[in-house]
Amino acid sequence: EEKELFENLEREIPNSHQVSIGSRSRDGNTMIVTNRGPRDPGSYWLIQGEKMVKLGSKNPLVDASKLSDVRYIRYTARDGLEIPAYLTVPKGEGPFPLVVQHNGGPHVNSVIGYGEMNQMLANAGYMVLYPQNRISTGWGKRHFDAGYGEHGLAMQDDKDDGVKYLIEQGLVDPDRVAFFGWSYGGYAALVAASREEQLYQCTIAVAAVADPEKVYLNRRGTNSPRALDDWGKRRGTIGINPINEVDKVNIPLLMVHGDVDARVMYFNYVDYKKAMERAGKPAQYLTLKGADHFGRTLMYNHQETLYTKMLDFLANDCGPDGL
């Protein structure tokens, strides 16, 4: 009966994806149902017997017809590890310009749902690749263990290998590829800026861990358990440290940071900017005044400033002719 109920809900609710019953009467005839997915930021429905009415939407100004589908794919990295990833496909015919997107973690995984950033980019015509890092949870022990100590190394190769896979499939224009990341993804965006086999025309680093070694030293406690200290070292002192790679930066860079970021401290932005200036490397910088770390904490003015700058940078400053 429950299976039949959910099948009916998925059939009747537009753009159904992740359907759940939030509350239910004792007799089971009345319930509040929610849905969320790539084409639905979040909707709420009242079910009474055979009747169903929409109560509202989390973001009623978003037009579902302008949102894009998200696909689950797998591709093989250069060392043979299979990498799961999500692909947001814009409307129209390929090959598309591509933005490789990665947000926090690096051990955090994600599921297909409504993503404001990837939908914004897809609406602007960009295909969006979101690889699931080796070391992210939920994909098995081998996948997790393969990322240990591989920050900026094999973990970065995985993203490049995803780009090559999409190019081989004829889905992506090889001369129109950019990187965008937030938090750990911002770290990866800075690593991408100095890659010697350069696949990207530009990179955008938001709230980036620009000096993981300094972050580790600042956070390390004198009595940290050995296992946690070892984990911190492998996140901070093993692998690529972007602030030591500024001489190798070879593509346009946009760096963005909130000045009250409590998760990835603002010194990462300040120190990296100074290092770039000493090296004579041009870049664009944007401070979000009063902004904290996570996207959900940004105010409307922060979002408007950030998104406008990102789209302008991609269109006009990414590579020789823009993305």
Side-chain angles (χ1 to χ4, degrees):
E1 290 177 357
E2 288 295 293
K3 181 174 183 293
E4 184 179 3
L5 170 62
F6 273 88
E7 288 173 346
N8 289 338
L9 292 172
E10 289 170 350
R11 183 174 59 253
E12 296 298 326
I13 294 176
N15 302 305
S16 62
H17 180 76
Q18 184 181 344
V19 175
S20 61
I21 298 173
S23 61
R24 196 173 189 173
S25 63
R26 290 183 181 275
D27 63 9
N29 291 325
T30 302
M31 61 192 76
I32 302 294
V33 176
T34 64
N35 178 58
R36 182 179 172 88
R39 291 178 174 269
D40 185 350
S43 58
Y44 305 87
W45 304 81
L46 173 64
I47 312 295
Q48 289 183 306
E50 299 296 320
K51 297 179 180 179
M52 181 178 80
V53 61
K54 186 176 182 179
L55 298 175
S57 175
K58 189 173 182 180
N59 195 335
L61 298 181
V62 171
D63 183 349
S65 68
K66 296 181 179 179
L67 297 175
S68 296
D69 290 327
V70 180
R71 301 176 188 168
Y72 170 70
I73 65 170
R74 297 182 78 94
Y75 60 88
T76 303
R78 64 191 67 180
D79 66 353
L81 185 69
E82 274 205 334
I83 304 299
Y86 303 122
L87 192 66
T88 307
V89 184
K91 300 185 187 310
E93 296 294 328
F96 299 101
L98 176 71
V99 176
V100 178
Q101 176 185 350
H102 205 285
N103 294 345
H107 56 281
V108 177
N109 69 355
S110 59
V111 297
I112 292 179
Y114 178 74
E116 186 174 83
M117 302 297 293
N118 61 301
Q119 289 291 346
M120 178 191 75
L121 291 167
N123 186 257
Y126 304 114
M127 177 173 277
V128 183
L129 173 67
Y130 197 149
Q132 300 299 289
N133 282 322
R134 58 178 75 206
I135 218 169
S136 57
T137 58
W139 304 103
K141 186 175 186 299
R142 183 188 175 209
H143 185 87
F144 181 85
D145 290 345
Y148 202 58
E150 293 292 339
H151 296 69
L153 301 170
M155 288 166 64
Q156 200 75 22
D157 293 340
D158 294 342
K159 299 169 180 62
D160 293 1
D161 292 342
V163 173
K164 293 176 181 178
Y165 169 79
L166 294 176
I167 292 172
E168 290 169 359
Q169 299 298 308
L171 297 173
V172 166
D173 182 342
D175 297 320
R176 302 176 69 196
V177 182
F179 198 107
F180 157 67
W182 194 306
S183 192
Y184 165 79
Y187 160 88
L190 295 181
V191 174
S194 61
R195 296 287 268 182
E196 294 181 0
E197 183 194 3
Q198 190 53 267
L199 298 177
Y200 307 101
Q201 275 65 59
C202 69
T203 187
I204 301 173
V206 182
V209 184
D211 189 350
E213 182 175 2
K214 185 175 179 179
V215 171
Y216 159 71
L217 293 173
N218 281 357
R219 289 180 177 177
R220 184 187 185 207
T222 55
N223 297 313
S224 296
R226 183 174 177 180
L228 293 181
D229 188 49
D230 181 60
W231 174 250
K233 284 181 180 178
R234 287 188 177 270
R235 294 187 71 181
T237 62
I238 298 177
I240 301 297
N241 189 340
I243 204 166
N244 296 331
E245 302 279 313
V246 293
D247 288 332
K248 299 179 182 178
V249 172
N250 52 52
I251 54 174
L253 164 66
L254 169 63
M255 193 173 187
V256 184
H257 216 108
D259 63 352
V260 294
D261 192 322
R263 184 61 171 261
V264 177
M265 305 298 285
Y266 189 57
F267 72 75
N268 285 274
Y269 172 91
V270 174
D271 292 355
Y272 190 86
K273 181 181 178 184
K274 289 179 180 177
M276 286 282 284
E277 289 170 347
R278 285 195 299 269
K281 296 287 184 175
Q284 295 187 38
Y285 302 96
L286 173 64
T287 293
L288 298 176
K289 296 289 186 180
D292 200 350
H293 183 72
F294 295 100
R296 64 178 177 269
T297 68
L298 299 185
M299 300 299 162
Y300 179 81
N301 63 304
H302 298 140
Q303 292 176 305
E304 184 178 38
T305 300
L306 172 62
Y307 298 167
T308 301
K309 181 62 178 178
M310 283 178 55
L311 292 175
D312 177 73
F313 179 79
L314 289 171
N316 299 303
D317 302 307
C318 187
D321 302 308
L323 207 64

